[in-house]
Amino acid sequence: MKQAWAAQTRSEVLKPRWLERGDVVPIVVPPWSIDTARGNCTSLVLVAPPSTQFVLHLHPWPGLPSAIVSSAGALQVTRCGKDRVSLLDLRLEMRSPRAMLYARVAVGRTPPPSLATTLPARVTGPASPSIDPGPAPPRESLAARLAHFEADAAGSGAGATESARLAAAGPARITLEPGCHRLLATAEDPSPRGSLLITESDETHPLRVEPDDNGDARYELCTLRSRRLHIALEAEGDDVEETLALAHYGLPSGLPERFGPELGERLLQALGGSGAPRKLGSLVFASLGAQGLTPLPQSLLPGTCYVAALVTVHGSAQMLSLGARAGATNVEADVTSDQPGTHLGFCTGTSPHAELEVEARGMGVAWLVTLFQTTRARAEGP
């Protein structure tokens, strides 16, 4: 790498890092590497043993990826001009059990040679062509599908299930009580498939739920208040009918009401919706925050387990993640684009000291983090 990058204005090796699975550490590029007087392009290469897997997270920047995955234990990134801003916030996430990782940073007037030229042994080659998996297995009958839906609902803690006929000729009107509700619209094979249109009244804009590859439409709705819904089937022809199956899950005990129904519903979804713990325990901490990296040190009970949840309050988040560190435990969860929040669990050891950490990037983003105690501390003494 030193020989290949000899044409760069300046090139240096950063301090090696010994990392273990789950570690997320910052990488700080030196000030000279973004000095416009030395060059317009800044480059970073990360090298570890070929079997190592890691991810480089970059500051979100329009038109550029915010995460780069290693290939054969190496990756290289170059940013020129104003795009170098994305290198001012770098985080390295280790996904392999453990490895020593080396980094070299350089600045120059032009990008250095590609990694494929410098380290050809790290080139994995073209991906194997996809293999035809063969025809899909035959679908179960409608009765069998509905029976499996009811069995899955009962096994996952549903309090009740019901079904109704859903026709394209007119909507079904149902009332949902506080809790989470799974919906499945399915029909006999073969028959035309349709989309679900869900509204709370005839005047509101409907929520559209498209069918999957099998023609079934699935949706989960969590609410903290009673809601009357109109569920319509949009299909070609008024004679199309489907069966609408519903599974109802009660609210977890301990879910706080003080945040209001809208934010409470987001919190319920972040905790897993219908898969949320049935008993949350006591709320021991809650905090609002905004963009940036926010450490939240905690003094907790030793030998105790907790669940933390993070939700977006408002704004558009390009990246939102929640981390927790307690002794040797280091866990992290990211908020995906189709979810309002996320959650994670951890347990303290003999030390009561722990730290939550929230990282948020985006326009006008604000968040709420909550921490619930799920089990009591272990008894001390014999």
Side-chain angles (χ1 to χ4, degrees):
M1 292 300 306
K2 181 177 180 181
Q3 295 174 356
W5 288 18
Q8 296 292 295
T9 305
R10 184 173 177 179
S11 172
E12 289 185 4
V13 175
L14 303 182
K15 182 181 179 180
R17 298 287 190 94
W18 173 258
L19 301 175
E20 297 188 350
R21 190 196 305 275
D23 287 348
V24 180
V25 298
I27 296 180
V28 181
V29 297
W32 56 259
S33 66
I34 54 175
D35 185 358
T36 55
R38 295 177 179 270
N40 193 46
C41 294
T42 303
S43 300
L44 173 70
V45 66
L46 301 171
V47 182
S51 59
T52 309
Q53 293 183 339
F54 54 89
V55 181
L56 180 66
H57 299 275
L58 303 90
H59 179 76
W61 195 249
L64 297 175
S66 59
I68 302 176
V69 182
S70 65
S71 177
L75 67 79
Q76 179 175 321
V77 58
T78 298
R79 296 287 185 263
C80 299
K82 63 180 181 180
D83 293 343
R84 292 196 289 184
V85 172
S86 62
L87 300 180
L88 296 180
D89 182 13
L90 299 176
R91 294 177 298 116
L92 182 62
E93 177 189 355
M94 176 60 71
R95 292 186 173 176
S96 291
R98 59 188 60 84
M100 183 71 78
L101 191 139
Y102 300 86
R104 177 177 284 274
V105 64
V107 61
R109 293 174 177 81
T110 58
S114 67
L115 194 63
T117 302
T118 309
L119 299 176
R122 298 301 181 101
V123 179
T124 58
S128 301
S130 58
I131 302 175
D132 183 6
R139 285 250 286 171
E140 294 180 315
S141 65
L142 175 61
R145 274 177 271 151
L146 295 175
H148 282 165
F149 177 83
E150 293 181 2
D152 291 342
S156 57
T161 58
E162 60 177 313
S163 61
R165 300 299 296 173
L166 188 61
R173 292 173 171 81
I174 61 173
T175 300
L176 299 182
E177 298 301 327
C180 287
H181 310 270
R182 294 181 186 177
L183 285 70
L184 168 67
T186 186
E188 291 281 5
D189 294 326
S191 63
R193 296 295 190 259
S195 304
L196 291 184
L197 301 179
I198 303 176
T199 58
E200 285 203 61
S201 66
D202 294 331
E203 293 77 24
T204 59
H205 185 71
L207 169 70
R208 178 183 296 271
V209 181
E210 300 292 347
D212 57 22
D213 294 339
N214 293 323
D216 298 337
R218 300 176 183 270
Y219 186 67
E220 179 169 305
L221 186 148
C222 294
T223 178
L224 267 65
R225 57 193 187 279
S226 180
R227 301 173 67 173
R228 295 178 61 85
L229 300 182
H230 295 177
I231 302 181
L233 178 64
E234 185 180 68
E236 297 182 0
D238 292 340
D239 58 342
V240 178
E241 288 190 355
E242 293 190 3
T243 298
L244 178 66
L246 300 99
H248 308 288
Y249 299 78
L251 293 174
S253 63
L255 186 70
E257 300 180 356
R258 66 192 202 186
F259 302 119
E262 182 178 352
L263 198 52
E265 289 167 5
R266 293 186 184 183
L267 179 60
L268 179 55
Q269 288 179 282
L271 287 166
S274 60
R278 293 296 89 198
K279 184 177 181 180
L280 289 176
S282 58
L283 177 66
V284 298
F285 175 76
S287 177
L288 291 167
Q291 179 169 282
L293 183 63
T294 306
L296 300 166
Q298 304 291 316
S299 181
L300 305 174
L301 295 174
T304 306
C305 294
Y306 296 85
V307 170
L310 173 68
V311 295
T312 303
V313 176
H314 65 74
S316 176
Q318 293 180 319
M319 184 194 74
L320 191 61
S321 65
L322 171 65
R325 297 177 180 86
T329 301
N330 187 351
V331 290
E332 184 175 352
D334 295 326
V335 177
T336 59
S337 58
D338 59 342
Q339 292 294 330
T342 188
H343 72 282
L344 55 78
F346 66 95
C347 299
T348 55
T350 56
S351 171
H353 300 295
E355 182 172 290
L356 299 179
E357 186 178 82
V358 178
E359 185 168 6
R361 306 292 177 188
M363 295 295 294
V365 61
W367 46 262
L368 168 70
V369 65
T370 56
L371 182 65
F372 299 89
Q373 178 186 328
T374 58
T375 63
R376 295 182 180 179
R378 292 195 300 264
E380 299 293 337

